[in-house]
Amino acid sequence: MDLVLFLTFAIIAVVCGLSMALQRHPVASALSLIGVMVSLAVLYVLLGAEFIAAAQLVVYSGAIMVLFIFVIMLLN
């Protein structure tokens, strides 16, 4: 079961990472970055590092991505 979850979220992280790099619109790229961060948090949970997963979600997916979206909207 762990192997299936690992492979699923690893593939999601790679696909979202490629989508982030290849997107033409900055908001879509930022949303793909959120997908990468969430899938990395799930991978941390699978490794048994729940605190790092929670910090990943709160700090990166929450605070940093809000700043990214704010800057993107400010520059447009």
Side-chain angles (χ1 to χ4, degrees):
M1 183 66 180
D2 287 338
L3 181 64
V4 173
L5 285 174
F6 175 79
L7 290 175
T8 302
F9 284 101
I11 290 171
I12 290 172
V14 169
V15 168
C16 286
L18 288 174
S19 174
M20 179 188 65
L22 299 176
Q23 286 289 331
R24 297 187 62 111
H25 300 288
V27 175
S29 179
L31 290 175
S32 294
L33 186 59
I34 290 175
V36 171
M37 296 300 165
V38 169
S39 62
L40 285 178
V42 172
L43 292 176
Y44 284 138
V45 168
L46 289 174
L47 287 173
E50 290 84 11
F51 177 75
I52 296 175
Q56 176 86 16
L57 285 177
V58 170
V59 173
Y60 288 109
S61 296
I64 301 297
M65 289 311 302
V66 167
L67 289 174
F68 280 0
I69 297 296
F70 180 72
V71 168
I72 289 169
M73 294 300 175
L74 186 66
L75 292 178
N76 285 338

Short mmCIF file of all heavy atoms in Angstrom, two decimals:
data_model
loop_
_atom_site.label_atom_id
_atom_site.label_comp_id
_atom_site.label_asym_id
_atom_site.label_seq_id
_atom_site.Cartn_x
_atom_site.Cartn_y
_atom_site.Cartn_z
N MET A 1 0.82 -1.20 0.00
CA MET A 1 0.00 0.00 0.00
C MET A 1 0.87 1.26 0.00
O MET A 1 0.54 2.23 -0.68
CB MET A 1 -0.93 -0.03 1.22
CG MET A 1 -1.88 1.11 1.30
SD MET A 1 -3.04 1.03 -0.07
CE MET A 1 -4.01 2.45 0.24
N ASP A 2 1.95 1.24 0.80
CA ASP A 2 2.83 2.41 0.85
C ASP A 2 3.51 2.65 -0.49
O ASP A 2 3.70 3.80 -0.89
CB ASP A 2 3.89 2.23 1.94
CG ASP A 2 3.32 2.37 3.33
OD1 ASP A 2 2.24 3.00 3.46
OD2 ASP A 2 3.95 1.87 4.28
N LEU A 3 3.86 1.57 -1.16
CA LEU A 3 4.51 1.72 -2.47
C LEU A 3 3.58 2.35 -3.49
O LEU A 3 3.99 3.20 -4.28
CB LEU A 3 5.01 0.36 -2.96
CG LEU A 3 5.74 0.37 -4.30
CD1 LEU A 3 7.02 1.18 -4.19
CD2 LEU A 3 6.02 -1.04 -4.75
N VAL A 4 2.31 1.97 -3.45
CA VAL A 4 1.33 2.52 -4.39
C VAL A 4 1.14 4.01 -4.12
O VAL A 4 1.13 4.83 -5.05
CB VAL A 4 -0.01 1.76 -4.29
CG1 VAL A 4 -1.08 2.43 -5.13
CG2 VAL A 4 0.17 0.32 -4.70
N LEU A 5 0.99 4.38 -2.85
CA LEU A 5 0.84 5.80 -2.50
C LEU A 5 2.09 6.60 -2.87
O LEU A 5 2.01 7.71 -3.37
CB LEU A 5 0.54 5.96 -1.01
CG LEU A 5 -0.86 5.59 -0.57
CD1 LEU A 5 -0.97 5.66 0.94
CD2 LEU A 5 -1.87 6.50 -1.21
N PHE A 6 3.26 6.00 -2.60
CA PHE A 6 4.51 6.69 -2.94
C PHE A 6 4.61 6.94 -4.43
O PHE A 6 4.92 8.06 -4.86
CB PHE A 6 5.71 5.88 -2.45
CG PHE A 6 7.01 6.48 -2.88
CD1 PHE A 6 7.54 7.56 -2.20
CD2 PHE A 6 7.71 5.98 -3.97
CE1 PHE A 6 8.74 8.13 -2.59
CE2 PHE A 6 8.90 6.54 -4.37
CZ PHE A 6 9.42 7.61 -3.67
N LEU A 7 4.36 5.92 -5.23
CA LEU A 7 4.45 6.08 -6.68
C LEU A 7 3.42 7.06 -7.21
O LEU A 7 3.71 7.87 -8.10
CB LEU A 7 4.31 4.73 -7.37
CG LEU A 7 5.48 3.77 -7.19
CD1 LEU A 7 5.17 2.43 -7.82
CD2 LEU A 7 6.74 4.36 -7.77
N THR A 8 2.21 7.03 -6.65
CA THR A 8 1.16 7.94 -7.08
C THR A 8 1.55 9.39 -6.83
O THR A 8 1.49 10.24 -7.74
CB THR A 8 -0.17 7.62 -6.36
OG1 THR A 8 -0.53 6.28 -6.63
CG2 THR A 8 -1.26 8.57 -6.82
N PHE A 9 1.98 9.69 -5.60
CA PHE A 9 2.29 11.08 -5.28
C PHE A 9 3.64 11.51 -5.84
O PHE A 9 3.84 12.71 -6.09
CB PHE A 9 2.21 11.31 -3.77
CG PHE A 9 0.79 11.40 -3.31
CD1 PHE A 9 0.16 10.32 -2.69
CD2 PHE A 9 0.06 12.55 -3.52
CE1 PHE A 9 -1.14 10.40 -2.28
CE2 PHE A 9 -1.26 12.63 -3.13
CZ PHE A 9 -1.86 11.57 -2.49
N ALA A 10 4.54 10.59 -6.10
CA ALA A 10 5.78 10.95 -6.77
C ALA A 10 5.51 11.33 -8.22
O ALA A 10 6.07 12.31 -8.73
CB ALA A 10 6.77 9.79 -6.71
N ILE A 11 4.62 10.60 -8.87
CA ILE A 11 4.24 10.94 -10.25
C ILE A 11 3.51 12.28 -10.29
O ILE A 11 3.75 13.11 -11.17
CB ILE A 11 3.41 9.80 -10.88
CG1 ILE A 11 4.30 8.58 -11.11
CG2 ILE A 11 2.74 10.24 -12.16
CD1 ILE A 11 3.56 7.34 -11.51
N ILE A 12 2.64 12.51 -9.31
CA ILE A 12 1.93 13.80 -9.24
C ILE A 12 2.92 14.94 -9.05
O ILE A 12 2.81 15.99 -9.69
CB ILE A 12 0.88 13.78 -8.12
CG1 ILE A 12 -0.27 12.86 -8.49
CG2 ILE A 12 0.36 15.19 -7.82
CD1 ILE A 12 -1.26 12.62 -7.37
N ALA A 13 3.94 14.75 -8.19
CA ALA A 13 4.94 15.79 -7.96
C ALA A 13 5.73 16.08 -9.22
O ALA A 13 5.98 17.24 -9.56
CB ALA A 13 5.88 15.37 -6.82
N VAL A 14 6.10 15.04 -9.96
CA VAL A 14 6.88 15.24 -11.19
C VAL A 14 6.03 15.93 -12.26
O VAL A 14 6.48 16.86 -12.93
CB VAL A 14 7.44 13.90 -11.69
CG1 VAL A 14 8.02 14.03 -13.08
CG2 VAL A 14 8.49 13.38 -10.73
N VAL A 15 4.78 15.49 -12.41
CA VAL A 15 3.91 16.09 -13.42
C VAL A 15 3.62 17.56 -13.07
O VAL A 15 3.66 18.43 -13.96
CB VAL A 15 2.59 15.28 -13.56
CG1 VAL A 15 1.56 16.03 -14.36
CG2 VAL A 15 2.89 13.94 -14.18
N CYS A 16 3.35 17.85 -11.81
CA CYS A 16 3.11 19.24 -11.41
C CYS A 16 4.37 20.08 -11.56
O CYS A 16 4.29 21.25 -11.92
CB CYS A 16 2.59 19.31 -9.98
SG CYS A 16 0.89 18.78 -9.79
N GLY A 17 5.53 19.49 -11.30
CA GLY A 17 6.78 20.22 -11.49
C GLY A 17 7.04 20.56 -12.95
O GLY A 17 7.45 21.67 -13.28
N LEU A 18 6.78 19.61 -13.82
CA LEU A 18 6.91 19.88 -15.26
C LEU A 18 5.89 20.90 -15.72
O LEU A 18 6.19 21.79 -16.52
CB LEU A 18 6.77 18.59 -16.06
CG LEU A 18 7.93 17.62 -15.97
CD1 LEU A 18 7.58 16.32 -16.68
CD2 LEU A 18 9.18 18.24 -16.56
N SER A 19 4.67 20.79 -15.20
CA SER A 19 3.64 21.75 -15.55
C SER A 19 4.01 23.15 -15.06
O SER A 19 3.75 24.14 -15.76
CB SER A 19 2.30 21.32 -14.94
OG SER A 19 1.33 22.30 -15.15
N MET A 20 4.61 23.22 -13.89
CA MET A 20 5.03 24.52 -13.35
C MET A 20 6.08 25.16 -14.25
O MET A 20 6.04 26.36 -14.50
CB MET A 20 5.58 24.34 -11.94
CG MET A 20 6.07 25.61 -11.30
SD MET A 20 6.92 25.31 -9.76
CE MET A 20 8.33 24.39 -10.32
N ALA A 21 7.01 24.37 -14.75
CA ALA A 21 8.08 24.91 -15.57
C ALA A 21 7.63 25.25 -16.98
O ALA A 21 8.18 26.15 -17.61
CB ALA A 21 9.23 23.92 -15.62
N LEU A 22 6.62 24.56 -17.48
CA LEU A 22 6.21 24.74 -18.87
C LEU A 22 5.00 25.64 -19.06
O LEU A 22 4.63 25.92 -20.21
CB LEU A 22 5.93 23.37 -19.50
CG LEU A 22 7.13 22.41 -19.54
CD1 LEU A 22 6.70 21.06 -20.08
CD2 LEU A 22 8.25 23.00 -20.37
N GLN A 23 4.37 26.08 -17.98
CA GLN A 23 3.19 26.94 -18.10
C GLN A 23 3.57 28.31 -18.62
O GLN A 23 4.64 28.84 -18.33
CB GLN A 23 2.52 27.12 -16.72
CG GLN A 23 1.76 25.94 -16.24
CD GLN A 23 0.50 25.70 -17.04
OE1 GLN A 23 -0.11 26.62 -17.57
NE2 GLN A 23 0.09 24.46 -17.11
N ARG A 24 2.66 28.91 -19.37
CA ARG A 24 2.88 30.26 -19.88
C ARG A 24 2.26 31.31 -18.96
O ARG A 24 2.68 32.45 -18.96
CB ARG A 24 2.30 30.38 -21.28
CG ARG A 24 2.99 29.47 -22.27
CD ARG A 24 2.49 29.76 -23.65
NE ARG A 24 2.83 31.14 -24.00
CZ ARG A 24 3.73 31.46 -24.91
NH1 ARG A 24 4.35 30.49 -25.55
NH2 ARG A 24 3.97 32.71 -25.19
N HIS A 25 1.26 30.91 -18.19
CA HIS A 25 0.58 31.85 -17.30
C HIS A 25 1.14 31.69 -15.89
O HIS A 25 1.23 30.57 -15.37
CB HIS A 25 -0.92 31.59 -17.30
CG HIS A 25 -1.53 31.75 -18.65
ND1 HIS A 25 -1.70 32.98 -19.24
CD2 HIS A 25 -2.00 30.84 -19.53
CE1 HIS A 25 -2.25 32.82 -20.43
NE2 HIS A 25 -2.44 31.52 -20.64
N PRO A 26 1.51 32.78 -15.23
CA PRO A 26 2.13 32.67 -13.91
C PRO A 26 1.19 32.15 -12.82
O PRO A 26 1.64 31.48 -11.90
CB PRO A 26 2.59 34.10 -13.61
CG PRO A 26 1.90 34.97 -14.56
CD PRO A 26 1.50 34.15 -15.73
N VAL A 27 -0.10 32.42 -12.92
CA VAL A 27 -1.02 31.92 -11.90
C VAL A 27 -1.16 30.40 -12.01
O VAL A 27 -1.17 29.70 -11.00
CB VAL A 27 -2.40 32.62 -12.04
CG1 VAL A 27 -3.40 32.03 -11.07
CG2 VAL A 27 -2.26 34.11 -11.82
N ALA A 28 -1.23 29.89 -13.21
CA ALA A 28 -1.29 28.44 -13.39
C ALA A 28 0.01 27.78 -12.92
O ALA A 28 -0.02 26.69 -12.35
CB ALA A 28 -1.55 28.10 -14.85
N SER A 29 1.11 28.45 -13.12
CA SER A 29 2.39 27.94 -12.63
C SER A 29 2.43 27.91 -11.11
O SER A 29 2.92 26.95 -10.51
CB SER A 29 3.53 28.81 -13.18
OG SER A 29 4.76 28.35 -12.72
N ALA A 30 1.89 28.93 -10.48
CA ALA A 30 1.84 28.96 -9.02
C ALA A 30 0.91 27.87 -8.48
O ALA A 30 1.21 27.25 -7.45
CB ALA A 30 1.39 30.33 -8.53
N LEU A 31 -0.18 27.61 -9.16
CA LEU A 31 -1.08 26.53 -8.73
C LEU A 31 -0.42 25.17 -8.90
O LEU A 31 -0.63 24.26 -8.09
CB LEU A 31 -2.39 26.61 -9.50
CG LEU A 31 -3.28 27.79 -9.15
CD1 LEU A 31 -4.50 27.82 -10.07
CD2 LEU A 31 -3.70 27.74 -7.71
N SER A 32 0.39 25.02 -9.93
CA SER A 32 1.14 23.76 -10.09
C SER A 32 2.17 23.60 -8.98
O SER A 32 2.41 22.49 -8.51
CB SER A 32 1.83 23.74 -11.45
OG SER A 32 0.89 23.71 -12.48
N LEU A 33 2.75 24.72 -8.54
CA LEU A 33 3.69 24.67 -7.42
C LEU A 33 2.99 24.24 -6.14
O LEU A 33 3.58 23.52 -5.33
CB LEU A 33 4.37 26.02 -7.25
CG LEU A 33 5.48 26.11 -6.21
CD1 LEU A 33 6.59 25.12 -6.52
CD2 LEU A 33 6.02 27.51 -6.14
N ILE A 34 1.75 24.64 -5.96
CA ILE A 34 0.98 24.18 -4.80
C ILE A 34 0.78 22.66 -4.88
O ILE A 34 0.89 21.95 -3.87
CB ILE A 34 -0.38 24.90 -4.72
CG1 ILE A 34 -0.15 26.36 -4.33
CG2 ILE A 34 -1.30 24.24 -3.70
CD1 ILE A 34 -1.41 27.18 -4.34
N GLY A 35 0.52 22.14 -6.08
CA GLY A 35 0.39 20.69 -6.25
C GLY A 35 1.66 19.96 -5.89
O GLY A 35 1.63 18.89 -5.27
N VAL A 36 2.81 20.54 -6.25
CA VAL A 36 4.09 19.93 -5.89
C VAL A 36 4.26 19.93 -4.38
O VAL A 36 4.67 18.92 -3.78
CB VAL A 36 5.27 20.68 -6.56
CG1 VAL A 36 6.60 20.22 -6.02
CG2 VAL A 36 5.21 20.51 -8.05
N MET A 37 3.96 21.04 -3.72
CA MET A 37 4.14 21.13 -2.27
C MET A 37 3.23 20.18 -1.51
O MET A 37 3.63 19.57 -0.53
CB MET A 37 3.91 22.57 -1.80
CG MET A 37 4.88 23.55 -2.33
SD MET A 37 6.56 23.14 -1.84
CE MET A 37 7.48 24.16 -2.94
N VAL A 38 2.00 20.04 -1.97
CA VAL A 38 1.07 19.13 -1.29
C VAL A 38 1.51 17.68 -1.48
O VAL A 38 1.49 16.88 -0.53
CB VAL A 38 -0.37 19.36 -1.80
CG1 VAL A 38 -1.31 18.26 -1.32
CG2 VAL A 38 -0.87 20.71 -1.36
N SER A 39 1.94 17.32 -2.67
CA SER A 39 2.39 15.95 -2.88
C SER A 39 3.67 15.66 -2.10
O SER A 39 3.85 14.54 -1.61
CB SER A 39 2.57 15.66 -4.37
OG SER A 39 3.57 16.49 -4.91
N LEU A 40 4.55 16.65 -1.96
CA LEU A 40 5.74 16.46 -1.12
C LEU A 40 5.36 16.28 0.34
O LEU A 40 5.99 15.50 1.06
CB LEU A 40 6.70 17.63 -1.28
CG LEU A 40 7.50 17.68 -2.57
CD1 LEU A 40 8.37 18.92 -2.59
CD2 LEU A 40 8.34 16.45 -2.73
N ALA A 41 4.33 16.98 0.79
CA ALA A 41 3.87 16.81 2.18
C ALA A 41 3.35 15.39 2.40
O ALA A 41 3.61 14.78 3.44
CB ALA A 41 2.80 17.84 2.50
N VAL A 42 2.64 14.86 1.41
CA VAL A 42 2.16 13.47 1.53
C VAL A 42 3.33 12.50 1.55
O VAL A 42 3.33 11.52 2.31
CB VAL A 42 1.18 13.15 0.39
CG1 VAL A 42 0.81 11.67 0.39
CG2 VAL A 42 -0.07 14.00 0.50
N LEU A 43 4.36 12.77 0.75
CA LEU A 43 5.54 11.90 0.77
C LEU A 43 6.25 11.97 2.12
O LEU A 43 6.76 10.96 2.61
CB LEU A 43 6.50 12.29 -0.36
CG LEU A 43 5.99 12.00 -1.77
CD1 LEU A 43 6.98 12.52 -2.80
CD2 LEU A 43 5.74 10.53 -1.97
N TYR A 44 6.28 13.15 2.74
CA TYR A 44 6.85 13.25 4.09
C TYR A 44 6.05 12.44 5.11
O TYR A 44 6.61 11.82 6.00
CB TYR A 44 6.93 14.70 4.55
CG TYR A 44 8.05 15.50 3.93
CD1 TYR A 44 7.84 16.79 3.49
CD2 TYR A 44 9.32 14.96 3.79
CE1 TYR A 44 8.86 17.53 2.92
CE2 TYR A 44 10.34 15.69 3.22
CZ TYR A 44 10.11 16.97 2.80
OH TYR A 44 11.12 17.70 2.24
N VAL A 45 4.72 12.45 4.97
CA VAL A 45 3.88 11.64 5.87
C VAL A 45 4.19 10.17 5.69
O VAL A 45 4.26 9.40 6.66
CB VAL A 45 2.39 11.95 5.64
CG1 VAL A 45 1.51 10.94 6.34
CG2 VAL A 45 2.05 13.34 6.11
N LEU A 46 4.38 9.74 4.45
CA LEU A 46 4.71 8.33 4.20
C LEU A 46 6.06 7.95 4.81
O LEU A 46 6.28 6.80 5.17
CB LEU A 46 4.73 8.05 2.70
CG LEU A 46 3.37 8.04 2.01
CD1 LEU A 46 3.54 7.89 0.51
CD2 LEU A 46 2.51 6.93 2.57
N LEU A 47 6.96 8.93 4.92
CA LEU A 47 8.26 8.66 5.56
C LEU A 47 8.19 8.69 7.07
O LEU A 47 9.15 8.32 7.74
CB LEU A 47 9.29 9.70 5.08
CG LEU A 47 9.77 9.55 3.65
CD1 LEU A 47 10.64 10.74 3.28
CD2 LEU A 47 10.55 8.26 3.50
N GLY A 48 7.07 9.14 7.62
CA GLY A 48 6.91 9.19 9.06
C GLY A 48 7.31 10.52 9.67
O GLY A 48 7.48 10.62 10.87
N ALA A 49 7.46 11.54 8.86
CA ALA A 49 7.84 12.87 9.34
C ALA A 49 6.62 13.78 9.29
O ALA A 49 6.50 14.63 8.40
CB ALA A 49 8.98 13.42 8.51
N GLU A 50 5.72 13.60 10.25
CA GLU A 50 4.47 14.35 10.23
C GLU A 50 4.68 15.84 10.49
O GLU A 50 3.99 16.68 9.93
CB GLU A 50 3.49 13.78 11.27
CG GLU A 50 2.93 12.43 10.92
CD GLU A 50 3.84 11.28 11.32
OE1 GLU A 50 4.81 11.53 12.05
OE2 GLU A 50 3.57 10.16 10.88
N PHE A 51 5.64 16.18 11.36
CA PHE A 51 5.87 17.59 11.66
C PHE A 51 6.39 18.33 10.43
O PHE A 51 5.96 19.46 10.14
CB PHE A 51 6.86 17.75 12.82
CG PHE A 51 7.18 19.19 13.12
CD1 PHE A 51 6.25 19.98 13.77
CD2 PHE A 51 8.37 19.75 12.72
CE1 PHE A 51 6.52 21.31 14.03
CE2 PHE A 51 8.66 21.07 12.97
CZ PHE A 51 7.73 21.86 13.64
N ILE A 52 7.31 17.71 9.70
CA ILE A 52 7.83 18.35 8.50
C ILE A 52 6.74 18.48 7.44
O ILE A 52 6.68 19.48 6.72
CB ILE A 52 9.05 17.57 7.96
CG1 ILE A 52 10.18 17.62 8.98
CG2 ILE A 52 9.51 18.12 6.63
CD1 ILE A 52 11.37 16.79 8.62
N ALA A 53 5.85 17.49 7.37
CA ALA A 53 4.74 17.58 6.43
C ALA A 53 3.80 18.72 6.78
O ALA A 53 3.36 19.47 5.90
CB ALA A 53 3.98 16.25 6.40
N ALA A 54 3.51 18.87 8.07
CA ALA A 54 2.64 19.97 8.50
C ALA A 54 3.32 21.31 8.25
O ALA A 54 2.67 22.27 7.80
CB ALA A 54 2.29 19.82 9.97
N ALA A 55 4.62 21.40 8.53
CA ALA A 55 5.34 22.65 8.27
C ALA A 55 5.38 22.93 6.77
O ALA A 55 5.28 24.10 6.36
CB ALA A 55 6.75 22.55 8.83
N GLN A 56 5.53 21.91 5.96
CA GLN A 56 5.52 22.07 4.50
C GLN A 56 4.20 22.67 4.04
O GLN A 56 4.18 23.58 3.23
CB GLN A 56 5.74 20.71 3.84
CG GLN A 56 5.66 20.71 2.35
CD GLN A 56 6.97 21.05 1.70
OE1 GLN A 56 8.00 21.01 2.32
NE2 GLN A 56 6.91 21.41 0.45
N LEU A 57 3.10 22.15 4.56
CA LEU A 57 1.79 22.66 4.16
C LEU A 57 1.55 24.07 4.66
O LEU A 57 1.07 24.93 3.91
CB LEU A 57 0.69 21.73 4.68
CG LEU A 57 0.52 20.43 3.95
CD1 LEU A 57 -0.55 19.59 4.62
CD2 LEU A 57 0.17 20.66 2.50
N VAL A 58 1.89 24.33 5.91
CA VAL A 58 1.60 25.64 6.49
C VAL A 58 2.51 26.71 5.92
O VAL A 58 2.06 27.76 5.48
CB VAL A 58 1.70 25.59 8.02
CG1 VAL A 58 1.64 26.98 8.62
CG2 VAL A 58 0.61 24.71 8.60
N VAL A 59 3.81 26.44 5.90
CA VAL A 59 4.76 27.47 5.51
C VAL A 59 4.78 27.66 4.00
O VAL A 59 4.59 28.77 3.49
CB VAL A 59 6.17 27.16 6.04
CG1 VAL A 59 7.18 28.13 5.50
CG2 VAL A 59 6.18 27.18 7.55
N TYR A 60 5.00 26.59 3.26
CA TYR A 60 5.16 26.74 1.81
C TYR A 60 3.83 26.86 1.08
O TYR A 60 3.62 27.81 0.33
CB TYR A 60 5.98 25.59 1.24
CG TYR A 60 7.42 25.68 1.62
CD1 TYR A 60 7.98 24.80 2.53
CD2 TYR A 60 8.22 26.68 1.10
CE1 TYR A 60 9.29 24.89 2.88
CE2 TYR A 60 9.55 26.78 1.46
CZ TYR A 60 10.09 25.88 2.36
OH TYR A 60 11.38 25.98 2.72
N SER A 61 2.93 25.91 1.29
CA SER A 61 1.67 25.96 0.55
C SER A 61 0.78 27.08 1.03
O SER A 61 -0.01 27.62 0.26
CB SER A 61 0.93 24.63 0.69
OG SER A 61 1.68 23.61 0.11
N GLY A 62 0.92 27.46 2.28
CA GLY A 62 0.10 28.55 2.80
C GLY A 62 0.71 29.91 2.59
O GLY A 62 0.28 30.70 1.76
N ALA A 63 1.76 30.20 3.34
CA ALA A 63 2.30 31.55 3.38
C ALA A 63 3.05 31.95 2.12
O ALA A 63 2.80 33.01 1.55
CB ALA A 63 3.20 31.68 4.61
N ILE A 64 3.98 31.13 1.68
CA ILE A 64 4.81 31.51 0.53
C ILE A 64 3.96 31.60 -0.74
O ILE A 64 4.13 32.52 -1.54
CB ILE A 64 5.97 30.50 0.35
CG1 ILE A 64 6.84 30.45 1.60
CG2 ILE A 64 6.78 30.82 -0.87
CD1 ILE A 64 7.53 31.74 1.94
N MET A 65 3.02 30.68 -0.92
CA MET A 65 2.21 30.73 -2.13
C MET A 65 1.26 31.93 -2.12
O MET A 65 0.98 32.49 -3.17
CB MET A 65 1.42 29.43 -2.30
CG MET A 65 2.30 28.27 -2.67
SD MET A 65 3.42 28.61 -4.03
CE MET A 65 2.31 29.05 -5.32
N VAL A 66 0.79 32.35 -0.95
CA VAL A 66 -0.02 33.57 -0.89
C VAL A 66 0.82 34.76 -1.32
O VAL A 66 0.35 35.63 -2.06
CB VAL A 66 -0.60 33.76 0.52
CG1 VAL A 66 -1.18 35.14 0.69
CG2 VAL A 66 -1.67 32.71 0.80
N LEU A 67 2.07 34.81 -0.89
CA LEU A 67 2.96 35.88 -1.32
C LEU A 67 3.22 35.83 -2.83
O LEU A 67 3.25 36.87 -3.50
CB LEU A 67 4.27 35.83 -0.55
CG LEU A 67 4.19 36.23 0.92
CD1 LEU A 67 5.53 36.00 1.59
CD2 LEU A 67 3.75 37.66 1.07
N PHE A 68 3.44 34.65 -3.36
CA PHE A 68 3.65 34.51 -4.81
C PHE A 68 2.44 35.02 -5.58
O PHE A 68 2.57 35.77 -6.54
CB PHE A 68 3.92 33.06 -5.19
CG PHE A 68 5.33 32.60 -4.94
CD1 PHE A 68 6.29 33.43 -4.41
CD2 PHE A 68 5.68 31.29 -5.24
CE1 PHE A 68 7.57 32.98 -4.19
CE2 PHE A 68 6.97 30.84 -5.02
CZ PHE A 68 7.92 31.69 -4.50
N ILE A 69 1.25 34.58 -5.19
CA ILE A 69 0.04 35.00 -5.87
C ILE A 69 -0.15 36.51 -5.74
O ILE A 69 -0.54 37.19 -6.70
CB ILE A 69 -1.19 34.23 -5.33
CG1 ILE A 69 -1.05 32.73 -5.60
CG2 ILE A 69 -2.49 34.76 -5.91
CD1 ILE A 69 -1.05 32.37 -7.06
N PHE A 70 0.15 37.06 -4.57
CA PHE A 70 0.02 38.50 -4.37
C PHE A 70 0.96 39.27 -5.30
O PHE A 70 0.56 40.25 -5.92
CB PHE A 70 0.31 38.85 -2.91
CG PHE A 70 0.20 40.31 -2.61
CD1 PHE A 70 -1.03 40.94 -2.58
CD2 PHE A 70 1.35 41.07 -2.37
CE1 PHE A 70 -1.14 42.29 -2.32
CE2 PHE A 70 1.25 42.42 -2.10
CZ PHE A 70 0.01 43.03 -2.09
N VAL A 71 2.20 38.83 -5.43
CA VAL A 71 3.16 39.49 -6.30
C VAL A 71 2.74 39.35 -7.76
O VAL A 71 2.83 40.31 -8.54
CB VAL A 71 4.58 38.95 -6.08
CG1 VAL A 71 5.54 39.40 -7.15
CG2 VAL A 71 5.09 39.38 -4.71
N ILE A 72 2.27 38.17 -8.15
CA ILE A 72 1.82 37.97 -9.54
C ILE A 72 0.65 38.90 -9.85
O ILE A 72 0.62 39.55 -10.90
CB ILE A 72 1.44 36.50 -9.77
CG1 ILE A 72 2.70 35.63 -9.80
CG2 ILE A 72 0.68 36.34 -11.07
CD1 ILE A 72 2.41 34.16 -9.75
N MET A 73 -0.30 39.00 -8.94
CA MET A 73 -1.44 39.87 -9.17
C MET A 73 -1.03 41.34 -9.15
O MET A 73 -1.59 42.17 -9.87
CB MET A 73 -2.53 39.64 -8.12
CG MET A 73 -3.15 38.29 -8.19
SD MET A 73 -3.92 38.02 -9.79
CE MET A 73 -4.43 36.36 -9.63
N LEU A 74 -0.06 41.69 -8.33
CA LEU A 74 0.41 43.07 -8.26
C LEU A 74 1.12 43.48 -9.54
O LEU A 74 0.96 44.61 -10.02
CB LEU A 74 1.33 43.23 -7.05
CG LEU A 74 1.80 44.64 -6.72
CD1 LEU A 74 0.62 45.49 -6.28
CD2 LEU A 74 2.85 44.60 -5.63
N LEU A 75 1.91 42.56 -10.12
CA LEU A 75 2.65 42.89 -11.33
C LEU A 75 1.78 42.91 -12.58
O LEU A 75 2.10 43.58 -13.54
CB LEU A 75 3.80 41.90 -11.52
CG LEU A 75 4.92 42.01 -10.48
CD1 LEU A 75 5.97 40.95 -10.74
CD2 LEU A 75 5.54 43.39 -10.50
N ASN A 76 0.70 42.15 -12.57
CA ASN A 76 -0.20 42.18 -13.72
C ASN A 76 -1.04 43.42 -13.61
O ASN A 76 -1.59 44.00 -14.37
CB ASN A 76 -1.09 40.94 -13.78
CG ASN A 76 -0.30 39.74 -14.25
OD1 ASN A 76 0.71 39.89 -14.88
ND2 ASN A 76 -0.80 38.56 -13.93
#
